[in-house]
C-alpha cells in the first residue's frame, strides 16, 4: 500500500488565455474580409516551468506561493485536468481532486441522483455508491431533501451536499485547493473535523493554501512555487518562513533614506 | 491493485477507446439522467417523442398529398424518413453544446471528452429506436399506412449502425468546433434545415426532375436515409449503390470525426 506516489519529471505547462475577441465565426470572417488584424486573440502563459517532483506515500504536501505562481495549475496537471505541454506526469493510487469552488451538480436532478452521478464520475459503481447515500445525507443534514431537485436547494445546502459527497469517498491521493469553509459556524466546525478525518485516511495529500498556519498544521512537507518554478522544498516551518521573508521583503515600504547617505550626498 | 496512471499525449485510438469504455458507468448515468429530466418535465413524458413525429407526419402528408398528389401510403414514407432525420438533427444540435455545457464538470475532474457527445447520441438513439418501433407496430396496420412486414426489415440493424456512426463522427466535430467558435451552434441549426430540404427525406427522389437526380445522390445523407425508406416503405432492400454509399459515408465520418476530435481533445480545456 505504501507504493502510492505522484511524480512530475521536468514538467512544463503553457497555455493560452483566450480573449472574447475572435471567438465567433462571424468575427473571424468579418476580420478576414476587412483585412483587420487585432493582433493575437490570446495570450500565452507559462504556468509551470521545468518542474520535477516526487511525492511518496505518507506525505502531506502544502503548496504555497503568490497568486499566479502555478499552484492550482500544478494540482490540475497532477489530476490530468490540464495536459502538460512537456514532461512526464504520473501517479499510482486512487486519486480524487477537490479543486474548484462551486458544486458541479445538475440542477434538474435530485440530490440522490447527483450523488450517483458524482460517484460514477469518480469511478464508483452504483452498488458501492448506494451504501454511501445514507451517510452522505446524514452528514449534510439534508435527509428530507434527498429527492428534491438541486435547483431548489439554497446555495449553502448545495455546498454542504457537495462537500459531504466529496469527503465520503476514500481517496488514496487527495488533492485539495483551499479548505472548504461555507455555511454557519456549526457546519464549519463539523466540516473541519470531517476534512481532518479524510486527510488522515488518505495516503498522500497535496494541498494548496494561502493560509500558512494550515500548511504548518496539516503538512509534513511544503513546496514554494514562484513564477512556475520550485523556489523551496522542505519542512513546512522552513519553507513557510522563507516564503514569508520574501513576501515581506517585497511588500515592505521602502526604508527612509538613511541619514548617513543623506549627509554624504552634498 | 491500483495501477500507474501516466499522462500520454500521443495515446492511440485503441487506448482512447478503452478509456471511453472505462467511463461507461458515467455514460450510462448521463444518458439515463438526461432522459429522466427530459420526460419528467411533462405529464405526457415519452408520449411526446411519439407525438412530435406523428404530428409532423400528419401535416407533411396532408400538405404534400394536396400539392403533389402522392400515392396512398405516403404517410409511411414520411415517417420512415422523418424519424431517422430527427435523430440525426437532434444529435447534431445536442452534440454542438455538449462539451461547452459540461465545462464545470471538465474543470473538476479528468474525462475522456468523447463521453459528452457520445452520451447525447446514445440518448437520442434510445428515443429513436423506441419511437420507430412503437409507431411501426401501432400505425403499421392502418389502411392509409399499410406497412408490409417483410424480410427486408432485417437490414435495419445495419441502417442503425450507419446513422449512429455518422451522428457520432459529425457530432464529435461540431462539439469541438463550438468550443472554439461559440456561434457555430446557430449556424448548425440553419445548415441542418437547409440540408433537410435538400435530402429526399419527405419527398421521393423519383419526383425530382430526372437530370437533377444525380445531384441528390451526391448528398451524403441520401444513402443513409434510404437505408430506412427502402425496408420500411418499399419493403425491399436498399440498392447496391445506396448501401455502399451509406456504409462509406458512415465509415468516413466516424474515422474523420474521431481523428479531428482526438487531435484537439487535449486543448479543449484551455479554450473553455
Amino acid at each position: 500500500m505504501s507504493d502510492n506516489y505522484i511524480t512530475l519529471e521536468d514538467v512544463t505547462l503553457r497555455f493560452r488565455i483566450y480573449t472574447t475577441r475572435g471567438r465567433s465565426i462571424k468575427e473571424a470572417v468579418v476580420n478576414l474580409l476587412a483585412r483587420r488584424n487585432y493582433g493575437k486573440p490570446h495570450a500565452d502563459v507559462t504556468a509551470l516551468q521545468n518542474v520535477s517532483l516526487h511525492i511518496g506515500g505518507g506525505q502531506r504536501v502544502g503548496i504555497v506561493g503568490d497568486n499566479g505562481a502555478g499552484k492550482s495549475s500544478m494540482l490540475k496537471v497532477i489530476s490530468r485536468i490540464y495536459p502538460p505541454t512537456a514532461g512526464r506526469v504520473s501517479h499510482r493510487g486512487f486519486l480524487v481532486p477537490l479543486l474548484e469552488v462551486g458544486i458541479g451538480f445538475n440542477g434538474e436532478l435530485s440530490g440522490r441522483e447527483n450523488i450517483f452521478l458524482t460517484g460514477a464520475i469518480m469511478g464508483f459503481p452504483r452498488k458501492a455508491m448506494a451504501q454511501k447515500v445514507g451517510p452522505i445525507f446524514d452528514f449534510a443534514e439534508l435527509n428530507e431533501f434527498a429527492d428534491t431537485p438541486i435547483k431548489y436547494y439554497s446555495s449553502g445546502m448545495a455546498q454542504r451536499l457537495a462537500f459531504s459527497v466529496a469527503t465520503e469517498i476514500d481517496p488514496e491521493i487527495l488533492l485539495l485547493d483551499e479548505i472548504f469553509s461555507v455555511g454557519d459556524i456549526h457546519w464549519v466546525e463539523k466540516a473541519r473535523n470531517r476534512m481532518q478525518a479524510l486527510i488522515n485516511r488518505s495516503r498522500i495529500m497535496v494541498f494548496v493554501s494561502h493560509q500558512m498556519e494550515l500548511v504548518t498544521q496539516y503538512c509534513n512537507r511544503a513546496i514554494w512555487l514562484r513564477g512556475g518554478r520550485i523556489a523551496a522544498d522542505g519542512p513546512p516551518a522552513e519553507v513557510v518562513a522563507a516564503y514569508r521573508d520574501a513576501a515581506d521583503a517585497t511588500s515592505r515600504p521602502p526604508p527612509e533614506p538613511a541619514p548617513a547617505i543623506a549627509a554624504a550626498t552634498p | 491493485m491500483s495501477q500507474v496512471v501516466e499522462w500520454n499525449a500521443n495515446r492511440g485510438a485503441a487506448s482512447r477507446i478503452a478509456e471511453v469504455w472505462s467511463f461507461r458507468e458515467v455514460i450510462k448515468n448521463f444518458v439515463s439522467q438526461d432522459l429522466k429530466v427530459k420526460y419528467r418535465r411533462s405529464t405526457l413524458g415519452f408520449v411526446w417523442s411519439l407525438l412530435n413525429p406523428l404530428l409532423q407526419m400528419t401535416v407533411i402528408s396532408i400538405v404534400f398529398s394536396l400539392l403533389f398528389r402522392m400515392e396512398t401510403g405516403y404517410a409511411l414514407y414520411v415517417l420512415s424518413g422523418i424519424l431517422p432525420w430527427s435523430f440525426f438533427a437532434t444529435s447534431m444540435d445536442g452534440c454542438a453544446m455538449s462539451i461547452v455545457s459540461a465545462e464545470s464538470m471538465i474543470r473538476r475532474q479528468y474525462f475522456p471528452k468523447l463521453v459528452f457527445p457520445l452520451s447525447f447520441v446514445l440518448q437520442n438513439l434510445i428515443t429513436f429506436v423506441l419511437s420507430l418501433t412503437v409507431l411501426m407496430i401501432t400505425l403499421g396496420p392502418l389502411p392509409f399506412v399499410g406497412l408490409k412486414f417483410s424480410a427486408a426489415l432485417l437490414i435495419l440493424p445495419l441502417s442503425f449502425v450507419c446513422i449512429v456512426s455518422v451522428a457520432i463522427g459529425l457530432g464529435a466535430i461540431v462539439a469541438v468546433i463550438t468550443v472554439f467558435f461559440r456561434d457555430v451552434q446557430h449556424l448548425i441549426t440553419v445548415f441542418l434545415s437547409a440540408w433537410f430540404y435538400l435530402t429526399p427525406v419527405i419527398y421521393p427522389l423519383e419526383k425530382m426532375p430526372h437530370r437533377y437526380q444525380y445531384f441528390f445522390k451526391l448528398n451524403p445523407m441520401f444513402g443513409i436515409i434510404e437505408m430506412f425508406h427502402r425496408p420500411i416503405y418499399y419493403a425491399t432492400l436498399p440498392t447496391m449503390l445506396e448501401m455502399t454509399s451509406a456504409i462509406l459515408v458512415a465509415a468516413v465520418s466516424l474515422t474523420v470525426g474521431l481523428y479531428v476530435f482526438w487531435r484537439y481533445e487535449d486543448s479543449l480545456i484551455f479554450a473553455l
Side-chain angles (χ1 to χ4, degrees):
Chain A
M1 282 297 289
S2 61
D3 58 351
N4 296 130
Y5 68 79
I6 301 171
T7 299
L8 276 69
E9 282 171 58
D10 207 16
V11 170
T12 295
L13 174 69
R14 261 190 298 274
F15 55 80
R16 295 192 155 167
I17 296 178
Y18 290 83
T19 61
T20 45
R21 257 205 316 259
R23 292 300 302 280
S24 72
I25 284 278
K26 188 188 77 190
E27 270 184 79
V29 170
V30 168
N31 289 347
L32 191 72
L33 291 180
R35 290 165 192 271
R36 278 195 298 221
N37 189 2
Y38 287 126
K40 285 185 183 166
H42 48 73
D44 287 323
V45 174
T46 304
L48 295 174
Q49 184 84 58
N50 306 98
V51 172
S52 293
L53 186 61
H54 180 86
I55 299 173
Q59 294 192 0
R60 277 93 183 79
V61 183
I63 300 179
V64 301
D66 295 341
N67 285 322
K71 305 188 295 296
S72 300
S73 294
M74 182 137 105
L75 293 193
K76 289 199 167 180
V77 164
I78 294 172
S79 56
R80 291 186 296 159
I81 294 171
Y82 282 173
T85 314
R88 289 166 50 124
V89 181
S90 62
H91 69 260
R92 170 185 254 167
F94 175 49
L95 180 148
V96 171
L98 304 179
L99 305 184
E100 291 260 328
V101 201
I103 45 164
F105 283 148
N106 181 344
E108 300 290 334
L109 297 172
S110 72
R112 187 190 307 279
E113 289 163 335
N114 267 298
I115 291 178
F116 283 115
L117 179 60
T118 311
I121 291 170
M122 288 184 167
F124 281 93
R126 212 180 161 79
K127 229 184 280 168
M129 221 46 216
Q131 294 168 348
K132 296 183 189 288
V133 170
I136 289 173
F137 279 115
D138 285 342
F139 183 78
E141 299 170 17
L142 290 169
N143 270 310
E144 62 269 49
F145 301 106
D147 294 306
T148 310
I150 293 280
K151 62 179 173 182
Y152 299 123
Y153 282 36
S154 73
S155 60
M157 287 158 71
Q159 281 285 2
R160 247 151 62 198
L161 186 62
F163 177 87
S164 308
V165 179
T167 49
E168 183 68 28
I169 285 163
D170 273 336
E172 288 171 314
I173 303 177
L174 176 66
L175 307 183
L176 267 181
D177 201 331
E178 295 288 354
I179 288 239
F180 299 75
S181 58
V182 182
D184 45 60
I185 294 173
H186 153 72
W187 171 255
V188 171
E189 187 59 32
K190 236 180 114 175
R192 190 176 298 136
N193 292 338
R194 187 167 163 107
M195 188 54 91
Q196 179 70 63
L198 179 72
I199 291 171
N200 292 344
R201 289 198 306 271
S202 67
R203 291 282 307 142
I204 294 179
M205 178 193 63
V206 186
F207 168 47
V208 161
S209 182
H210 286 108
Q211 291 165 276
M212 296 304 135
E213 57 287 357
L214 289 180
V215 172
T216 43
Q217 181 188 340
Y218 285 114
C219 303
N220 54 24
R221 176 181 175 186
I223 292 170
W224 168 20
L225 278 181
R226 187 171 52 189
R229 293 170 191 272
I230 295 180
D233 182 350
E238 289 171 25
V239 173
V240 165
Y243 172 57
R244 277 211 167 113
D245 286 348
D248 287 348
T250 51
S251 65
R252 195 183 296 148
E256 297 289 317
I261 301 172
T265 27
Chain B
M1 40 156 302
S2 55
Q3 72 235 36
V4 177
V5 180
E6 175 160 3
W7 179 267
N8 178 5
N10 302 314
R11 53 207 187 283
S15 73
R16 288 188 195 252
I17 289 170
E19 206 179 22
V20 172
W21 176 247
S22 73
F23 271 69
R24 59 193 179 280
E25 198 71 31
V26 177
I27 298 176
K28 226 189 286 172
N29 265 276
F30 283 154
V31 171
S32 75
Q33 306 199 333
D34 281 346
L35 287 173
K36 256 189 237 165
V37 170
K38 196 155 113 195
Y39 296 131
R40 185 183 289 162
R41 283 257 188 80
S42 55
T43 29
L44 282 179
F46 173 67
V47 177
W48 269 122
S49 22
L50 298 179
L51 274 184
N52 198 19
L54 209 58
L55 291 175
Q56 267 182 300
M57 178 194 78
T58 315
V59 172
I60 293 170
S61 330
I62 292 173
V63 171
F64 273 66
S65 300
L66 293 176
L67 282 177
F68 301 113
R69 305 204 175 160
M70 297 295 186
E71 45 288 306
T72 46
Y74 174 58
L76 184 60
Y77 185 85
V78 172
L79 193 68
S80 57
I82 278 245
L83 281 172
W85 183 273
S86 311
F87 160 74
F88 172 67
T90 327
S91 299
M92 288 306 102
D93 268 334
C95 285
M97 289 308 283
S98 60
I99 289 180
V100 175
S101 54
E103 176 179 350
S104 71
M105 270 187 263
I106 296 176
R107 288 190 177 284
R108 278 189 177 73
Q109 186 89 27
Y110 172 75
F111 285 93
K113 314 291 181 290
L114 193 64
V115 302
F116 300 106
L118 196 59
S119 304
F120 258 98
V121 172
L122 292 180
Q123 174 206 329
N124 285 325
L125 178 65
I126 291 174
T127 311
F128 173 32
V129 172
L130 285 180
S131 43
L132 185 67
T133 318
V134 171
L135 289 178
M136 270 169 56
I137 290 171
T138 54
L139 295 185
L142 296 178
F144 64 93
V145 177
L147 172 67
K148 291 181 278 294
F149 285 94
S150 70
L153 289 175
L154 295 177
I155 196 79
L156 280 178
L158 179 63
S159 317
F160 282 112
V161 169
C162 288
I163 199 166
V164 168
S165 307
V166 175
I168 293 174
L170 297 189
I173 294 180
V174 296
V176 167
I177 297 179
T178 323
V179 172
F180 293 97
F181 300 103
R182 299 289 159 96
D183 58 344
V184 164
Q185 194 210 350
H186 308 294
L187 292 179
I188 289 172
T189 315
V190 177
F191 184 75
L192 279 173
S193 89
W195 199 356
F196 171 72
Y197 287 108
L198 284 175
T199 313
V201 177
I202 54 170
Y203 55 84
L205 181 65
E206 294 78 54
K207 293 277 175 188
M208 292 295 115
H210 228 282
R211 55 203 162 118
Y212 294 131
Q213 284 189 8
Y214 76 92
F215 167 76
F216 285 88
K217 286 182 183 169
L218 288 177
N219 182 340
M221 281 309 279
F222 169 71
I224 304 275
I225 297 295
E226 287 314 296
M227 293 287 287
F228 291 90
H229 273 152
R230 293 285 178 189
I232 299 174
Y233 175 71
Y234 296 100
T236 60
L237 286 179
T239 64
M240 219 43 196
L241 174 80
E242 288 159 0
M243 227 185 305
T244 320
S245 137
I247 292 171
L248 263 181
V249 167
V252 169
S253 38
L254 188 62
T255 316
V256 173
L258 291 182
Y259 176 80
V260 170
F261 191 85
W262 287 333
R263 166 86 177 66
Y264 290 101
E265 179 176 11
D266 292 343
S267 46
L268 292 175
I269 179 76
F270 301 121
L272 278 171

